[in-house]
Amino acid sequence: MTDAAGPAAGPLPPSGPSQRRRPEGLLLVALPVGLMAWLVIWPIISGVIRTVWRPNESGAFGVDVSTYVFFFSDGYSRANLGITLWTTLTCAALLLAICLPIAIYLRFTTGRLAGYVQALAIFPLFVPSIILAFAFIRVLGPNGMVDILLNSVGLPKIDTPYLSPWGPVIGLVWDNIPLTVLILLAGLGAVPNAAVEAARDVGARKWQVFWYIILPRIGNSILVALSFAVLGIFSAFTLPYILGPASPEMMGPFMQRTFRDLYDPLSALTQAVITFGFCIFFGLFYVRAVARNQGK
C-alpha cells in the first residue's frame, strides 16, 4: 500500500524570535531624520546652551540667564512680543472667520461658481510675499489706487493700514488663506452627505446642522489649520518687515535688527529661543490633534 500524497506545500516563512526585521525601513527614514537633527534640532539645542551657559568675567563657564532677564524686564522687548502675540491671534481669528465659510461652501456646492471661488481662494498660494507687499502698498498705501479713486469722486483719503499694526495682519491673512482653506476642506470630507440630509429632513436649521453635524467632525482639522497658520505667522519676517510699523515690531524684524543693526548676536539668539518656545507651545495643539486622529 502506498500513502496518499497530500497537497504540495512550500516552505513556511520563518516566524518567532528567529525572524529578523529588515533594516530597509530604517534606512529610508535615516537621511531625513539625520538632516532634521543636523539642521533643526542641533541648532535649537546649541542656541539654548549658548544663551544660558556662558563664561563670566573670569572666563569660567556657568549658568547665566541675564539675557532672558533683560528681555522680560525691557519694555520695548515686551512690547514687541506683545504685538507679535496680538498679530498672531488676530490673524488666526480672521482666518477662521473667513476660511471656514469658504470651505463649507466649496464642500457642499458644485458648479462653475464654486470652481471660481476655489480658484480665488487658492490664488494667493502662487503670489510671493514680496509681490503681495508691493501690491498692498500700491493699492492701500498713501496715494495708492484706493486714494486716487476716492479723490476722483471728491471723497477724503482713507486712513491707510500701511506701516500700522493692521498692515501685517491684512498681508498675513491673505497669505495664509489657501493653506487654511485646503486643510479645512480636507477635514470637511469626513462629513457624510447623508448625515446633513437627514438633519435637514427632520427640520434642522442651517446653524443647527453646522453646530451639531459639521463642527464636531472637523474640530481636529480646525486645530491643525490654526496651528499651521499660527506657527507661520508668529515667525513671519517679510510682510511684517515691509508693511508693519518700526515700533513696536514683530519678533522676526526685531531679531534681524538686533543682529544686524545693533551688532548683538547674543540678544538676537535669546529672542530666537523665546520665539521658539512660544512656537513649541502652539505646536503642541497640532501634536494633540494628530494624536487624537491616530487614536480613532
Side-chain angles (χ1 to χ4, degrees):
M1 295 179 63
T2 59
D3 295 334
L12 295 175
S15 60
S18 61
Q19 183 180 8
R20 296 182 179 179
R21 295 181 178 180
R22 296 183 179 181
E24 287 83 352
L26 296 177
L27 292 176
L28 289 175
V29 300
L31 180 59
V33 170
L35 288 175
M36 184 180 67
W38 178 34
L39 299 177
V40 179
I41 298 177
W42 169 244
I44 294 172
I45 297 175
S46 175
V48 174
I49 294 175
R50 289 173 58 188
T51 55
V52 300
W53 185 260
R54 298 186 289 114
N56 54 25
E57 295 179 356
S58 61
F61 280 84
V63 176
D64 185 357
V65 294
S66 58
T67 55
Y68 293 94
V69 173
F70 172 78
F71 180 91
F72 288 104
S73 61
D74 178 56
Y76 182 69
S77 299
R78 293 198 308 269
N80 292 336
L81 179 60
I83 195 65
T84 303
L85 290 171
W86 177 85
T87 302
T88 302
L89 297 178
T90 302
C91 288
L94 290 176
L95 281 171
L96 184 61
I98 294 172
C99 297
L100 185 56
I102 294 176
I104 293 176
Y105 172 79
L106 295 177
R107 168 63 179 83
F108 296 104
T109 306
T110 58
R112 183 174 298 180
L113 181 59
Y116 291 148
V117 172
Q118 183 172 359
L120 289 175
I122 305 302
F123 176 73
L125 188 66
F126 306 98
V127 180
S129 297
I130 189 67
I131 303 300
L132 170 61
F134 178 76
F136 179 98
I137 296 171
R138 296 296 298 171
V139 174
L140 295 178
N143 299 319
M145 183 184 298
V146 175
D147 275 349
I148 294 174
L149 293 176
L150 292 176
N151 185 59
S152 64
V153 295
L155 296 177
K157 293 184 177 182
I158 63 169
D159 187 10
T160 175
Y162 176 52
L163 299 182
S164 75
W166 285 102
V169 169
I170 297 174
L172 290 169
V173 167
W174 166 270
D175 200 36
N176 284 274
I177 284 177
L179 181 60
T180 307
V181 169
L182 290 175
I183 294 176
L184 293 177
L185 194 57
L188 285 167
V191 180
N193 292 331
V196 176
E197 294 173 358
R200 290 175 177 173
D201 290 341
V202 297
R205 298 180 179 180
K206 292 183 178 180
W207 69 268
Q208 292 176 320
V209 173
F210 169 76
W211 187 259
Y212 294 105
I213 304 298
I214 298 176
L215 191 59
R217 289 175 169 83
I218 63 171
N220 285 341
S221 298
I222 292 176
L223 201 57
V224 170
L226 292 181
S227 298
F228 272 102
V230 163
L231 291 175
I233 293 169
F234 197 92
S235 57
F237 173 77
T238 302
L239 292 175
Y241 181 77
I242 298 177
L243 303 179
S247 176
E249 54 190 344
M250 290 184 64
M251 292 299 294
F254 184 33
M255 285 184 280
Q256 190 270 349
R257 188 179 61 81
T258 303
F259 180 82
R260 183 174 180 178
D261 298 341
L262 302 181
Y263 304 103
D264 191 355
L266 182 60
S267 295
L269 185 59
T270 302
Q271 297 161 13
V273 172
I274 293 172
T275 301
F276 175 72
F278 277 92
C279 289
I280 285 181
F281 174 77
F282 291 122
L284 291 176
F285 292 99
Y286 169 73
V287 175
R288 179 174 177 271
V290 173
R292 289 178 61 182
N293 284 333
Q294 294 293 335
K296 292 181 179 181

